[in-house]
C-alpha cells in the first residue's frame, strides 16, 4: 500500500461526530417539534485528529 503524507494544521482540534443510530434517534426526536432553521446533532464528547491518528497507529502497529 502506498502511503501519502497528510498535512494537518491543528492535530489537537476537537471534532464531534454522530453514529447512524444516534442520527436516527435524533431525527425521530425532531418529528413532532416545531423547528425552523438548521439543527446540528452530535454525540456527547469530541475527539482530536491526533487521537484518531494514534488509534490508527496502534491498531495497524504502524509506528511512523
Amino acid at each position: 500500500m502506498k502511503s501519502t503524507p497528510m498535512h494537518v494544521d491543528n492535530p489537537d482540534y476537537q471534532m464531534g461526530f454522530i453514529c447512524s443510530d444516534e442520527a436516527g434517534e435524533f431525527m425521530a426526536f425532531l418529528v413532532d417539534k416545531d423547528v425552523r432553521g438548521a439543527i446540528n446533532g452530535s454525540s456527547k464528547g469530541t475527539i482530536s485528529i491526533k487521537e484518531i491518528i494514534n488509534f490508527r497507529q496502534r491498531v495497524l502497529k504502524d509506528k511512523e
Side-chain angles (χ1 to χ4, degrees):
M1 179 166 64
K2 181 179 178 183
S3 296
T4 304
M6 180 172 107
H7 176 73
V8 178
D9 288 331
N10 183 357
D12 295 315
Y13 181 76
Q14 297 287 313
M15 300 182 300
F17 294 92
I18 187 168
C19 70
S20 59
D21 292 348
E22 292 171 318
E25 290 175 13
F26 183 62
M27 289 170 51
F29 167 77
L30 294 173
V31 167
D32 61 352
K33 305 296 185 270
D34 184 21
V35 178
R36 307 229 191 277
I39 299 177
N40 294 322
S42 67
S43 296
K44 290 183 180 178
T46 59
I47 188 167
S48 71
I49 295 171
K50 182 191 295 183
E51 290 172 291
I52 294 170
I53 292 170
N54 289 340
F55 174 78
R56 178 208 165 269
Q57 289 176 332
R58 279 194 314 274
V59 169
L60 298 178
K61 298 184 184 353
D62 182 21
K63 302 292 182 181
E64 299 173 325

